[in-house]
Amino acid sequence: MEIILFGLLAVMLVFMFLNSRKRQKQMKAQQEEKATKTVPGAKVLLQGGLYGTVVSYDPVDLDKPAEIELAPGVVIEVHSQSILRIVEPTEDLESDEADEDDEDEAEVVEDAPADGIESIQVETPEETKARLERNNDN
């Protein structure tokens, strides 16, 4: 009985060792890929959920902070390892959305009045007071 338990323990240890080696290789490959893709001008997602553009990044010295531009003229320094991933643009979705936007704009233009000004109904103070009194009665 003890031999079977030791055999199961040995199999589990070998499995754990092989699994950890595989995971380490995957992590190393991901880090190398991120280091090669993180160049100035690349869109990135930070671990805090912020999107930005890389201004400067040193893939060799990870202790040196990376500079990320969040908005035009707003550059922040973050730890190099706080860059979660590089954001890849999806061209298929962008082209489909652009086509849909063009169709929506065409519909809006057709529905718009000739002078380009929408009619807005403004409530007079008396109408507002009457509406509030009706709501309070209910």
Side-chain angles (χ1 to χ4, degrees), residues 31 34-35 38 42-59 61-70 75-87:
Q31 288 174 351
K34 185 174 86 170
T38 307
K43 301 277 185 190
V44 294
L45 172 64
L46 301 177
Q47 287 189 3
L50 298 173
Y51 288 93
T53 306
V54 176
V55 175
S56 71
Y57 176 78
D58 188 5
D61 184 13
L62 294 179
D63 289 331
K64 185 177 178 185
E67 293 182 353
I68 308 293
E69 183 178 37
L70 298 178
V75 179
I76 61 170
E77 288 185 350
V78 297
H79 193 277
S80 300
Q81 294 175 341
S82 69
I83 297 173
L84 186 62
R85 64 182 171 93
I86 309 301
V87 178

Coordinates of all heavy atoms in Angstrom, one line a residue, residues 31 34-35 38 42-59 61-70 75-87:
Q31 N 7.0 37.6 -22.3 CA 7.8 38.8 -21.9 C 8.7 39.2 -23.1 O 8.8 40.5 -23.3 CB 8.6 38.5 -20.7 CG 7.9 38.3 -19.4 CD 8.7 37.9 -18.3 OE1 9.9 37.5 -18.4 NE2 8.2 37.9 -17.1
K34 N 6.4 40.9 -25.7 CA 6.0 42.3 -25.2 C 7.2 43.3 -25.3 O 7.0 44.4 -25.7 CB 5.5 42.2 -23.7 CG 5.0 43.5 -23.2 CD 4.4 43.4 -21.9 CE 5.4 43.5 -20.8 NZ 4.9 43.6 -19.5
A35 N 8.4 42.8 -25.0 CA 9.6 43.7 -25.1 C 9.8 44.1 -26.5 O 10.2 45.3 -26.8 CB 10.8 43.0 -24.5
T38 N 6.9 46.6 -27.6 CA 6.8 47.9 -26.9 C 7.8 48.8 -27.4 O 8.9 48.9 -27.0 CB 6.9 47.6 -25.4 OG1 6.0 46.6 -25.0 CG2 6.6 48.9 -24.6
A42 N 3.5 52.7 -29.8 CA 2.6 51.6 -29.7 C 1.5 51.9 -28.7 O 1.8 52.5 -27.6 CB 3.4 50.4 -29.3
K43 N 0.3 51.5 -28.9 CA -0.8 51.6 -28.0 C -0.7 50.5 -27.0 O -0.5 49.3 -27.3 CB -2.2 51.5 -28.7 CG -2.4 52.5 -29.8 CD -2.8 53.8 -29.2 CE -3.2 54.8 -30.4 NZ -3.4 56.1 -29.9
V44 N -0.9 50.8 -25.7 CA -0.7 49.9 -24.6 C -1.9 50.0 -23.6 O -2.5 51.0 -23.5 CB 0.6 50.0 -23.8 CG1 1.8 49.7 -24.7 CG2 0.8 51.4 -23.2
L45 N -2.1 48.9 -22.9 CA -3.0 48.9 -21.8 C -2.2 48.7 -20.5 O -1.4 47.8 -20.4 CB -4.0 47.7 -21.9 CG -5.0 47.4 -20.8 CD1 -5.9 48.6 -20.5 CD2 -5.8 46.2 -21.0
L46 N -2.4 49.6 -19.6 CA -1.7 49.5 -18.3 C -2.5 48.7 -17.3 O -3.7 48.5 -17.5 CB -1.5 50.9 -17.7 CG -0.7 51.9 -18.6 CD1 -0.6 53.3 -17.9 CD2 0.7 51.3 -18.9
Q47 N -1.9 48.2 -16.3 CA -2.5 47.3 -15.3 C -3.6 48.1 -14.6 O -4.6 47.4 -14.1 CB -1.5 46.8 -14.3 CG -0.7 45.7 -15.0 CD 0.2 45.0 -14.0 OE1 0.1 45.2 -12.8 NE2 1.0 44.1 -14.5
G48 N -3.6 49.4 -14.5 CA -4.7 50.1 -13.9 C -5.9 50.3 -14.7 O -6.9 50.9 -14.3
G49 N -5.9 49.8 -16.0 CA -7.0 49.9 -16.9 C -6.9 51.1 -17.8 O -7.9 51.4 -18.5
L50 N -5.8 51.9 -17.8 CA -5.7 53.0 -18.6 C -5.0 52.7 -19.9 O -4.1 51.8 -20.0 CB -4.8 54.1 -17.9 CG -5.3 54.6 -16.6 CD1 -4.2 55.5 -16.0 CD2 -6.5 55.4 -16.8
Y51 N -5.5 53.3 -21.0 CA -4.9 53.1 -22.3 C -4.0 54.3 -22.6 O -4.3 55.4 -22.2 CB -6.0 53.0 -23.4 CG -6.8 51.7 -23.4 CD1 -7.9 51.6 -22.7 CD2 -6.3 50.6 -24.1 CE1 -8.7 50.4 -22.7 CE2 -7.0 49.4 -24.0 CZ -8.2 49.3 -23.3 OH -8.9 48.2 -23.3
G52 N -2.9 54.0 -23.3 CA -2.0 55.1 -23.6 C -1.1 54.7 -24.8 O -1.2 53.6 -25.3
T53 N -0.2 55.7 -25.1 CA 0.8 55.5 -26.2 C 2.1 55.6 -25.6 O 2.4 56.5 -24.8 CB 0.6 56.6 -27.3 OG1 -0.8 56.6 -27.7 CG2 1.5 56.3 -28.4
V54 N 3.0 54.6 -26.0 CA 4.4 54.6 -25.4 C 5.2 55.8 -26.0 O 5.2 56.0 -27.2 CB 5.1 53.3 -25.8 CG1 6.5 53.3 -25.3 CG2 4.3 52.1 -25.2
V55 N 5.8 56.5 -25.1 CA 6.7 57.6 -25.5 C 8.1 57.1 -25.4 O 8.9 57.3 -26.3 CB 6.5 58.8 -24.6 CG1 7.5 59.9 -25.0 CG2 5.1 59.4 -24.8
S56 N 8.5 56.4 -24.3 CA 9.8 55.8 -24.2 C 9.7 54.6 -23.3 O 8.9 54.5 -22.4 CB 10.8 56.8 -23.6 OG 10.5 57.0 -22.2
Y57 N 10.5 53.6 -23.7 CA 10.5 52.3 -22.9 C 11.9 51.6 -23.2 O 12.4 51.6 -24.3 CB 9.4 51.4 -23.5 CG 9.4 50.0 -22.9 CD1 8.8 49.8 -21.7 CD2 9.9 48.9 -23.6 CE1 8.8 48.5 -21.1 CE2 9.8 47.6 -23.1 CZ 9.3 47.4 -21.8 OH 9.2 46.2 -21.3
D58 N 12.5 51.1 -22.1 CA 13.8 50.4 -22.1 C 13.5 49.0 -21.8 O 13.4 48.6 -20.7 CB 14.7 51.1 -21.2 CG 16.2 50.5 -21.3 OD1 16.4 49.7 -22.3 OD2 17.0 50.9 -20.5
P59 N 13.5 48.1 -22.8 CA 13.3 46.7 -22.6 C 14.4 46.0 -21.8 O 14.2 44.9 -21.3 CB 13.1 46.1 -24.0 CG 13.8 47.0 -24.9 CD 13.7 48.3 -24.3
D61 N 16.6 47.5 -19.3 CA 16.5 47.9 -17.9 C 15.1 48.1 -17.5 O 14.5 49.2 -17.7 CB 17.4 49.2 -17.7 CG 17.5 49.7 -16.3 OD1 17.2 48.8 -15.4 OD2 17.9 50.8 -16.1
L62 N 14.5 47.1 -16.9 CA 13.1 47.2 -16.5 C 12.9 48.1 -15.2 O 11.8 48.4 -14.9 CB 12.5 45.8 -16.2 CG 12.4 44.9 -17.5 CD1 11.9 43.6 -17.1 CD2 11.6 45.6 -18.6
D63 N 14.0 48.5 -14.5 CA 13.8 49.4 -13.4 C 13.7 50.8 -13.8 O 13.2 51.6 -13.1 CB 15.1 49.2 -12.5 CG 15.1 47.9 -11.8 OD1 14.0 47.3 -11.5 OD2 16.2 47.4 -11.4
K64 N 14.0 51.1 -15.1 CA 13.8 52.5 -15.6 C 12.4 52.6 -15.9 O 11.8 51.8 -16.6 CB 14.7 52.6 -16.9 CG 14.7 54.0 -17.4 CD 15.6 54.1 -18.6 CE 15.5 55.5 -19.2 NZ 16.3 55.6 -20.4
P65 N 11.7 53.7 -15.5 CA 10.3 53.9 -15.8 C 10.0 54.2 -17.3 O 10.9 54.7 -18.0 CB 9.9 55.1 -15.0 CG 11.2 55.9 -14.7 CD 12.3 54.8 -14.7
A66 N 8.9 53.7 -17.7 CA 8.4 53.9 -19.1 C 7.6 55.2 -19.1 O 6.9 55.5 -18.1 CB 7.6 52.7 -19.6
E67 N 7.6 55.9 -20.1 CA 6.8 57.1 -20.3 C 5.7 56.8 -21.2 O 5.9 56.4 -22.3 CB 7.6 58.3 -20.8 CG 8.7 58.8 -19.8 CD 9.5 60.0 -20.3 OE1 9.3 60.3 -21.5 OE2 10.3 60.5 -19.6
I68 N 4.4 57.1 -20.7 CA 3.2 56.8 -21.4 C 2.4 58.1 -21.6 O 2.2 58.8 -20.6 CB 2.4 55.7 -20.7 CG1 3.2 54.5 -20.4 CG2 1.1 55.4 -21.5 CD1 3.6 53.7 -21.5
E69 N 2.0 58.3 -22.8 CA 1.1 59.5 -23.1 C -0.3 59.0 -23.0 O -0.8 58.2 -23.8 CB 1.4 60.1 -24.4 CG 0.7 61.3 -24.7 CD 1.0 62.0 -26.1 OE1 1.3 61.2 -27.0 OE2 1.1 63.2 -26.1
L70 N -1.1 59.5 -22.0 CA -2.5 59.2 -21.9 C -3.4 60.0 -22.8 O -4.4 59.5 -23.3 CB -2.9 59.4 -20.4 CG -2.2 58.5 -19.4 CD1 -2.7 58.8 -18.0 CD2 -2.4 57.0 -19.7
V75 N 1.8 63.2 -20.2 CA 2.8 62.1 -20.2 C 3.0 61.7 -18.8 O 3.3 62.6 -17.9 CB 4.1 62.5 -20.9 CG1 5.1 61.3 -20.9 CG2 3.8 62.9 -22.4
I76 N 2.9 60.4 -18.5 CA 3.2 59.9 -17.1 C 4.3 58.9 -17.1 O 4.5 58.3 -18.2 CB 1.9 59.3 -16.5 CG1 1.4 58.1 -17.3 CG2 0.8 60.3 -16.4 CD1 0.3 57.3 -16.6
E77 N 4.9 58.8 -16.0 CA 6.0 57.8 -15.8 C 5.4 56.6 -15.1 O 4.8 56.8 -14.0 CB 7.2 58.3 -15.1 CG 8.0 59.3 -15.9 CD 9.3 59.7 -15.2 OE1 9.4 59.4 -14.0 OE2 10.1 60.3 -15.8
V78 N 5.5 55.4 -15.6 CA 5.0 54.2 -14.9 C 6.1 53.2 -14.8 O 7.1 53.2 -15.6 CB 3.8 53.6 -15.6 CG1 2.6 54.6 -15.6 CG2 4.1 53.2 -17.0
H79 N 6.0 52.2 -13.9 CA 7.0 51.1 -13.9 C 6.9 50.3 -15.2 O 5.8 50.1 -15.7 CB 6.7 50.2 -12.7 CG 7.8 49.3 -12.4 ND1 7.9 48.1 -13.0 CD2 8.9 49.4 -11.5 CE1 9.0 47.5 -12.6 NE2 9.6 48.3 -11.6
S80 N 8.0 49.9 -15.7 CA 8.0 49.2 -17.0 C 7.1 48.0 -17.0 O 6.5 47.6 -18.0 CB 9.4 48.8 -17.3 OG 10.2 49.9 -17.4
Q81 N 7.0 47.3 -15.8 CA 6.2 46.1 -15.8 C 4.7 46.3 -15.6 O 4.0 45.4 -15.5 CB 6.8 45.2 -14.7 CG 8.2 44.7 -15.0 CD 8.8 43.9 -13.9 OE1 8.4 43.9 -12.8 NE2 9.8 43.1 -14.3
S82 N 4.3 47.6 -15.5 CA 2.9 47.9 -15.3 C 2.2 47.9 -16.7 O 1.0 48.0 -16.7 CB 2.7 49.2 -14.6 OG 3.1 50.3 -15.4
I83 N 3.0 47.7 -17.7 CA 2.4 47.6 -19.1 C 1.8 46.2 -19.2 O 2.6 45.2 -19.2 CB 3.4 47.9 -20.2 CG1 3.8 49.4 -20.1 CG2 2.7 47.7 -21.5 CD1 4.9 49.7 -21.0
L84 N 0.5 46.1 -19.2 CA -0.1 44.8 -19.2 C 0.0 44.1 -20.6 O 0.4 43.0 -20.7 CB -1.6 44.9 -18.8 CG -2.4 43.6 -18.7 CD1 -1.8 42.8 -17.5 CD2 -3.8 43.9 -18.3
R85 N -0.4 44.8 -21.7 CA -0.3 44.3 -23.0 C -0.3 45.3 -24.0 O -0.7 46.5 -23.8 CB -1.4 43.3 -23.3 CG -2.8 43.9 -23.3 CD -3.8 42.8 -23.5 NE -5.2 43.3 -23.3 CZ -5.9 43.8 -24.2 NH1 -5.5 43.8 -25.5 NH2 -7.1 44.2 -24.0
I86 N 0.1 45.0 -25.2 CA 0.1 45.9 -26.4 C -1.3 45.7 -27.0 O -1.8 44.6 -27.2 CB 1.2 45.5 -27.4 CG1 2.5 45.4 -26.7 CG2 1.2 46.5 -28.6 CD1 3.0 46.6 -26.0
V87 N -1.9 46.8 -27.3 CA -3.3 46.8 -27.9 C -3.1 46.7 -29.4 O -2.5 47.6 -30.1 CB -4.1 48.1 -27.5 CG1 -5.4 48.1 -28.2 CG2 -4.2 48.2 -26.0

